[in-house]
Amino acid sequence: MRRFVLFTIGEDRPGIVSAISGVLYRMHCNIEDSSMTILRGNFAIILIVAVPDEVDVSVLESMLREEAERLGLFLTLRPIEGDGRSTKYVSYCLIKIFGEDKTGIVYKVSNLLASMGVNISDMRTKLAGRDKKLYAMLIEAEIPEEVVFEELKERLEKVAEELDVDITVEEVPTVHM
Amino acid sequence: MAVRKIITYPNPILRATCREVLELDGRIQGIVRDLMDTMNHYSHSVGIAAPQIGEPYRIICVDVSRSPHYKKKNHGLIVLINPVILEGDGEKTTREGCMSVPDFVGYVTRKRVVLVRGLDPSGREVEIEAKHLEAVVLQHEIDHLDGILFIDRITSPSSLMRREELVSKKI
């Protein structure tokens, strides 16, 4: 069994998920993790697919391309190896930013996180609003043991102040029952 | 005294409505002991409910003091028979995980404070006002008694963006 990452994007319409997953189903491939969403009228799909050894990948890819062409999608399929996780993170935080849109929000926030070794595990941004463009950003981040949450929060709040946007930073405990 | 096997989803026991305990007999006392032994056996566990060890009775066991990072005031070990939530207030979001649903964690929003009534193992009626994590764990465990799992309480596919935020951002 091999793993592939499948990425596809194109103008949104009903039937995209069905077309792609239909090919995978017929080829006995299993969809593991996935993320699918509309981004400004485009539908984006990222899938981790387990492909059985007996499946010819070139056949699978040509079948996927056929569907992609029919639906006007850009599509890539490439092999991946391992689970790729080694660092241990001890806690999670949710960062929410709302404010008037300006360039650099994503860069300045993510740059701070990177400099502290904080890992982004989920992130979404959305531009909305009518007269004034409002920007919303939601981040779920993993905090390593050596980072003190209060310090992270303070530094993020400072960045938000410089950007003149509202921010809430919340540590979310993980509880196992 | 016995550490029992944890029943995992999709075993139908986890979906059953558990029976009220009518008499605190030897059998029930045995379940209470096994419940504590099983929770104590798993170092990361801060709560367990009887259906998780295959016993469809309304019994839960909670101890948030077992969590090494948790410093807030709490009641330590709580064993409750036939627990009911009398009142709840506020909101708190936690990333929950459950021994019966291994490898999944999800964001769940529950009451921040709860008032719970039940019987202790000696049959005495007790009322406990719990806050923060302890309140969350009590609600999670009491849910088990009605066949509800934390995965039922996740509100959106990403469980990161909550529904009202998604709606308010639509152009």
Side-chain angles (χ1 to χ4, degrees):
Chain A
M1 201 264 301
R2 299 144 295 169
R3 279 202 177 81
F4 287 79
V5 58
L6 188 163
F7 169 65
T8 184
I9 189 165
E11 198 179 320
D12 187 41
R13 59 193 270 189
I16 296 175
V17 178
S18 154
I20 299 297
S21 61
V23 171
L24 296 171
Y25 175 69
R26 287 193 294 278
M27 295 298 279
H28 308 285
C29 298
N30 194 30
I31 298 172
E32 296 184 344
D33 293 6
S34 74
S35 179
M36 316 186 205
T37 194
I38 297 174
L39 304 168
R40 283 265 142 169
N42 292 286
F43 194 70
I45 299 180
I46 309 169
L47 306 175
I48 303 296
V49 190
V51 180
D53 291 333
E54 56 273 24
V55 170
D56 184 339
V57 176
S58 61
V59 173
L60 172 67
E61 189 163 357
S62 68
M63 287 172 75
L64 286 167
R65 293 216 173 278
E66 204 175 295
E67 286 300 296
E69 207 163 300
R70 185 173 68 80
L71 293 162
L73 305 170
F74 168 84
L75 183 142
T76 64
L77 183 73
R78 72 179 183 92
I80 47 166
E81 272 159 44
D83 280 336
R85 300 269 299 182
S86 54
T87 315
K88 216 173 174 298
Y89 298 96
V90 292
S91 68
Y92 284 76
C93 76
L94 290 180
I95 303 160
K96 302 179 195 175
I97 286 179
F98 289 93
E100 198 181 322
D101 186 37
K102 53 191 67 98
T103 41
I105 297 177
V106 171
Y107 171 66
K108 283 177 180 159
V109 172
S110 61
N111 189 45
L112 170 66
L113 297 177
S115 74
M116 293 180 78
V118 175
N119 194 44
I120 295 172
S121 51
D122 197 323
M123 173 162 170
R124 279 135 212 277
T125 68
K126 209 118 189 163
L127 183 64
R130 291 191 182 148
D131 305 331
K132 268 190 180 171
K133 288 293 177 204
L134 286 175
Y135 199 67
M137 177 160 89
L138 287 114
I139 298 176
E140 178 200 68
E142 301 170 315
I143 307 173
E145 193 153 20
E146 59 275 14
V147 170
V148 178
F149 173 74
E150 278 68 30
E151 192 199 329
L152 170 67
K153 186 176 172 185
E154 242 168 64
R155 291 179 64 179
L156 279 167
E157 282 167 351
K158 210 168 142 245
V159 169
E161 204 185 305
E162 285 161 15
L163 287 163
D164 193 25
V165 291
D166 290 334
I167 189 169
T168 54
V169 187
E170 191 188 346
E171 191 173 26
V172 182
T174 302
V175 55
H176 292 280
M177 291 163 273
Chain B
M1 296 272 283
V3 173
R4 302 264 209 106
K5 186 173 166 275
I6 298 287
I7 303 287
T8 55
Y9 186 75
N11 189 311
I13 293 174
L14 295 169
R15 287 304 194 188
T17 300
C18 296
R19 291 196 284 273
E20 192 132 333
V21 174
L22 301 174
E23 199 186 341
L24 291 172
D25 55 15
R27 177 175 157 68
I28 293 297
Q29 299 293 354
I31 294 172
V32 168
R33 270 196 307 277
D34 287 356
L35 211 49
M36 289 195 281
D37 290 346
T38 308
M39 181 179 78
N40 288 324
H41 176 74
Y42 294 97
S43 59
H44 59 270
S45 171
V46 292
I48 191 168
Q52 290 182 277
I53 59 165
E55 299 286 355
Y57 291 99
R58 304 190 78 83
I59 309 169
I60 61 166
C61 184
V62 169
D63 188 354
V64 293
S65 73
R66 302 186 77 238
S67 173
H69 303 292
Y70 195 66
K71 304 278 187 293
K72 291 201 174 103
K73 211 176 132 201
N74 62 77
H75 294 86
L77 176 69
I78 301 169
V79 176
L80 284 178
I81 295 157
N82 301 336
V84 282
I85 296 169
L86 301 174
E87 283 172 43
D89 192 31
E91 264 193 10
K92 181 176 174 62
T93 303
T94 315
R95 277 177 99 240
E96 294 190 14
C98 179
M99 291 191 286
S100 292
V101 192
D103 299 334
F104 274 99
V105 286
Y107 287 91
V108 181
T109 301
R110 300 188 186 269
K111 300 286 183 208
R112 197 178 57 82
V113 186
V114 287
L115 180 64
V116 178
R117 179 193 290 158
L119 303 176
D120 72 8
S122 67
R124 199 165 50 95
E125 190 174 278
V126 288
E127 271 186 22
I128 290 170
E129 189 186 292
K131 290 179 184 166
H132 310 294
L133 206 60
E134 191 170 57
V136 168
V137 180
L138 280 164
Q139 290 168 85
H140 176 111
E141 301 310 336
I142 291 170
D143 264 356
H144 271 301
L145 308 180
D146 294 313
I148 300 165
L149 301 169
F150 79 93
I151 46 175
D152 305 324
R153 301 250 183 231
I154 292 170
T155 50
S156 78
S158 71
S159 74
L160 172 61
M161 271 188 165
R162 284 159 58 193
R163 190 155 294 169
E164 62 268 34
E165 285 164 349
L166 282 168
V167 170
S168 67
K169 270 185 288 154
K170 271 246 163 93
I171 304 170

